Amino acid sequence: MAGPVGSEPQYRGARRRLIEVLQAAGIHDVAVIRAFDLVPRHLFVPTGVRHRAYEDSALPIGNGQTISQPSIHATYLQELGLTGRERVLEIGTGSGYQTVLLSHLADQVFSIERIGALMEPAREAIRACGARNISLLQGDGTLGWAAYAPYDAILVSAAAPKVPAPLVEQLAEGGRLLIPLGGRDEQVLQVITKRGGATESRALGPVRFVPLIGAHGWPS
Ligand code: SAM
């Protein structure tokens, strides 16, 4: 009889080793580690690269896009320090992996992806994981998702030349926006906090992301 989804024994050891790599890289938040333990990353990558699913590396997911490196996801999630009560918006669903990690750490997750062809595999993997607190939208995430705003946290998984104004508008008071800002090839991950209508930003370190394409991002 098959076990629960993602529990295949051939991946269990690899997932454990990935968690050790994350811990060695400074990820200590117990809830974040638990989320990585619960979510089967191999379901979110194409079969051709499935044997590499638990390496700490970005992998191709088709349409010129990538599933981000696990240690980058972990850094984003640890930085947010979610309590489980938050409403979170993710821009750039991609494979849906980070979306499901978020579903274990927040109350409600809203996620937007620009490329329609990526939505179906992401939707299927999310369904296979049994996550029920995720809403997906295909469209330009630089416009945000006003219907469910304000958000306690917004995570942008693609690199922008500047902060998209609608995302700041849709951030709750005290809310945090994580976004890679800079050129098309190299960026700095910034955490932007909204207080009293103004914003404060703090640089977390250099990163490399695919471009955020849209009305408030790069032209296509
Ligand atoms: N967190 C994702 C994962 O784990 O698979 C990372 C996906 S990839 C690094 C970034 C994604 O952002 C791509 O799928 C890309 O199509 C998407 N993207 C780029 N511009 C976008 C936009 N304006 N709105 C929504 N998604 C966008």
Side-chain angles (χ1 to χ4, degrees):
M1 201 174 72
V5 72
S7 70
E8 297 91 323
Q10 73 266 36
Y11 294 112
R12 234 179 273 147
R15 190 143 77 231
R16 221 33 260 172
R17 282 192 293 281
L18 172 62
I19 287 170
E20 284 163 17
V21 168
L22 298 180
Q23 287 171 322
I27 304 302
H28 47 72
D29 183 312
V30 176
V32 172
I33 294 290
R34 180 174 169 272
F36 275 89
D37 204 15
L38 288 173
V39 185
R41 191 174 189 246
H42 63 273
L43 297 185
F44 294 84
V45 299
T47 46
V49 291
R50 202 155 273 181
H51 61 290
R52 299 185 55 201
Y54 294 98
E55 287 178 12
D56 187 23
S57 40
L59 294 170
I61 55 170
N63 293 84
Q65 304 303 319
T66 53
I67 179 172
S68 306
Q69 195 178 347
S71 52
I72 292 287
H73 285 309
T75 303
Y76 263 66
L77 297 172
Q78 179 162 276
E79 177 63 32
L80 286 175
L82 297 167
T83 65
R85 291 189 294 273
E86 297 83 356
R87 179 187 299 223
V88 176
L89 176 65
E90 177 191 47
I91 312 299
T93 314
S95 66
Y97 177 59
Q98 180 176 258
T99 322
V100 178
L101 290 171
L102 278 167
S103 78
H104 288 285
L105 295 164
D107 181 35
Q108 285 179 287
V109 182
F110 298 86
S111 185
I112 308 175
E113 171 57 50
R114 188 180 75 92
I115 300 176
L118 294 177
M119 293 297 280
E120 206 32 55
R123 208 181 281 282
E124 221 169 89
I126 290 169
R127 201 179 301 129
C129 292
R132 298 198 185 283
N133 56 347
I134 294 175
S135 306
L136 299 179
L137 175 71
Q138 190 205 334
D140 177 5
T142 69
L143 302 172
W145 194 342
Y148 297 101
Y151 300 98
D152 303 300
I154 301 179
L155 290 83
V156 184
S157 293
K162 59 179 175 23
V163 182
L167 299 186
V168 176
E169 283 156 24
Q170 292 173 29
L171 201 56
E173 174 64 22
R176 282 151 305 148
L177 164 64
L178 260 75
I179 182 167
L181 289 180
R184 271 193 180 251
D185 295 324
E186 286 185 15
Q187 312 89 28
V188 174
L189 183 58
Q190 300 277 348
V191 52
I192 291 158
T193 308
K194 187 167 170 180
R195 279 192 215 292
T199 57
E200 299 160 7
S201 52
R202 183 164 54 90
L204 293 183
V207 282
R208 294 182 81 146
F209 274 87
V210 296
L212 181 75
I213 294 168
H216 297 266
W218 295 99
S220 59

